[in-house]
Amino acid sequence: MDEVGDRWSLLIVWAAANGTSRFDDFHRDLSVARNILSNRLRRLVDLGILEKRPVRDGARRMEYALTRKGDALRAVLHGLLDWGDSWAKRGPGNAEGRPQ
């Protein structure tokens, strides 16, 4: 949780797992402030969860991709999604707190 427990890091990893790779696309898709996004991307690269590489050889424009360590988070993220799908839909008919 120390590595990816903040809100933006998990959303960035989720976006990367679903094909987002460029800074401007993360910014547009997540509506996160540029300074926060830059900080979180740098941190995720430093932690070995994302890698930063040129879009093509010799290009100045960079893109981000999940590393093996980052890709291993897919199962965790899908587990959280499944948990949310089960528990977020609780209503008056499910007062005992059982998943639907």
Side-chain angles (χ1 to χ4, degrees):
M1 290 305 295
D2 289 339
E3 292 188 4
V4 294
D6 68 273
R7 175 178 181 222
W8 292 115
S9 292
L10 283 176
L11 291 174
I12 291 166
V13 171
W14 179 260
N18 287 287
T20 303
S21 62
R22 296 188 181 175
F23 184 94
D24 289 337
D25 295 333
F26 284 110
H27 181 256
R28 181 195 65 231
D29 295 348
L30 301 175
S31 299
V32 58
R34 289 183 172 279
N35 62 321
I36 292 172
L37 177 59
S38 179
N39 176 280
R40 294 308 189 280
L41 287 169
R42 188 177 321 110
R43 179 166 161 64
L44 291 168
V45 168
D46 290 346
L47 292 169
I49 294 170
L50 292 177
E51 66 176 333
K52 183 178 177 180
R53 60 186 182 211
V55 173
R56 62 185 174 284
D57 287 338
R60 293 184 65 204
R61 197 166 184 91
M62 304 300 278
E63 67 181 2
Y64 297 87
L66 291 175
T67 61
R68 286 184 60 218
K69 181 179 179 179
D71 195 54
L73 287 168
R74 283 180 195 259
V76 173
L77 293 171
H78 283 285
L80 285 171
L81 183 64
D82 292 343
W83 178 86
D85 288 344
S86 294
W87 290 96
K89 297 176 184 173
R90 288 185 289 163
N94 194 9
E96 290 86 40
R98 287 180 287 210
Q100 293 188 2

